[in-house]
């Protein structure tokens, strides 16, 4: 059974944590949800980001999400893939040296990585996007470019794949985001 490390944190986007977590468990993966300085059973608060015609997304309180694994117990070599949720959490998660080392491990070993929305901020801080093509929430595009990546402007419900890396702009992309990540993980779904 394949194992996925799922990185999230306080004020992560609600859908971008809950929905991929549930989808990945649904297909049979073991998914360890973690946040620095938190342990199994601890809660992260989420925020709901919505698109309501304003110049940027709106933000409302989301659900509490219980972590199912302790960050201190993570051994990166045990995992087959990494998922990084968006929202505001990446703003501070990218300041954690261990988070950056985890991300760098997945890139140096060419393991599958999926990041959505502002989760790409962690990738840019980890220095792993140089020469890569990827997408993100449009406001993160300049960071991708400054970090040496080639930002792809795609519809909000799309996913972009570059080798082992799957990225999407925001939660409306979940069906394509998870479908493409499953392909990169080597899964096949037959109807």
């Amino acid at each position: 059974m394949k194992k996925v490390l799922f990185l999230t944190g306080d004020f992560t986007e609600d859908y971008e944590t809950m929905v991929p977590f549930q989808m990945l468990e649904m297909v049979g993966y073991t998914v360890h949800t973690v946040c620095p300085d938190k342990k199994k059973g601890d809660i992260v608060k989420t925020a709901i980001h919505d698109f309501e015609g304003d110049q940027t997304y709106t933000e409302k309180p989301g659900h509490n999400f219980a972590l199912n694994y302790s960050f201190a117990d993570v051994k990166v070599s045990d995992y087959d893939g990494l998922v990084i949720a968006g929202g505001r959490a990446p703003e501070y998660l990218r300041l954690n040296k261990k988070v950056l080392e985890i991300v760098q491990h997945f890139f140096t070993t060419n393991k599958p990585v999926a990041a959505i929305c502002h989760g790409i901020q962690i990738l840019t801080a980890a220095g792993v996007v140089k020469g890569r093509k990827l997408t993100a929430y449009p406001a993160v595009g300049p960071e991708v470019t400054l970090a040496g990546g080639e930002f792809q402007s795609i519809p909000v419900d799309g996913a972009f794949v570059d080798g082992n890396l799957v990225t999407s702009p925001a939660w409306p992309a979940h069906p394509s985001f998870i479908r493409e990540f499953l392909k990169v993980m080597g899964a096949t779904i037959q109807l």
Side-chain angles (χ1 to χ4, degrees):
M1 181 180 300
K2 291 192 175 183
K3 290 173 70 174
V4 174
L5 184 62
F6 194 110
L7 186 59
T8 189
D10 283 322
F11 300 102
T12 182
E13 207 290 323
D14 188 283
Y15 295 157
E16 292 171 6
T17 295
M18 302 231 182
V19 175
F21 169 71
Q22 292 168 340
M23 293 171 88
L24 292 168
E25 282 203 326
M26 178 193 74
V27 298
Y29 293 149
T30 298
V31 183
H32 288 166
T33 56
V34 297
C35 176
D37 302 320
K38 295 199 180 214
K39 60 187 183 314
K40 180 179 179 176
D42 285 352
I43 299 293
V44 294
K45 293 179 181 179
T46 73
I48 296 171
H49 292 165
D50 212 347
F51 310 103
E52 301 175 310
D54 299 295
Q55 292 181 328
T56 189
Y57 56 85
T58 59
E59 185 172 78
K60 300 168 185 68
H63 299 90
N64 287 334
F65 181 80
L67 301 169
N68 68 5
Y69 203 74
S70 297
F71 185 80
D73 294 337
V74 169
K75 293 182 180 73
V76 291
S77 59
D78 291 347
Y79 297 96
D80 301 293
L82 172 68
V83 176
I84 303 172
R88 287 194 346 232
E91 293 175 1
Y92 78 91
L93 292 176
R94 65 183 169 171
L95 303 176
N96 184 292
K97 182 180 176 188
K98 173 93 176 180
V99 166
L100 301 182
E101 289 170 356
I102 287 170
V103 170
Q104 291 162 351
H105 166 83
F106 280 90
F107 278 84
T108 59
T109 57
N110 204 35
K111 292 181 183 178
V113 175
I116 192 164
C117 198
H118 287 74
I120 285 78
Q121 291 178 312
I122 294 173
L123 303 181
T124 60
V128 296
V129 303
K130 187 174 184 176
R132 303 296 297 259
K133 294 180 179 181
L134 63 155
T135 193
Y137 188 72
V140 182
E143 289 181 45
V144 170
T145 302
L146 288 169
E150 189 178 321
F151 180 74
Q152 305 297 303
S153 181
I154 67 171
V156 72
D157 61 351
F160 193 86
V161 181
D162 181 12
N164 67 319
L165 176 62
V166 179
T167 53
S168 285
W171 60 260
H174 282 146
S176 57
F177 177 63
I178 296 299
R179 180 177 54 250
E180 296 303 325
F181 182 62
L182 292 176
K183 287 180 190 174
V184 173
M185 289 285 289
T188 56
I189 298 175
Q190 296 179 337
L191 301 175

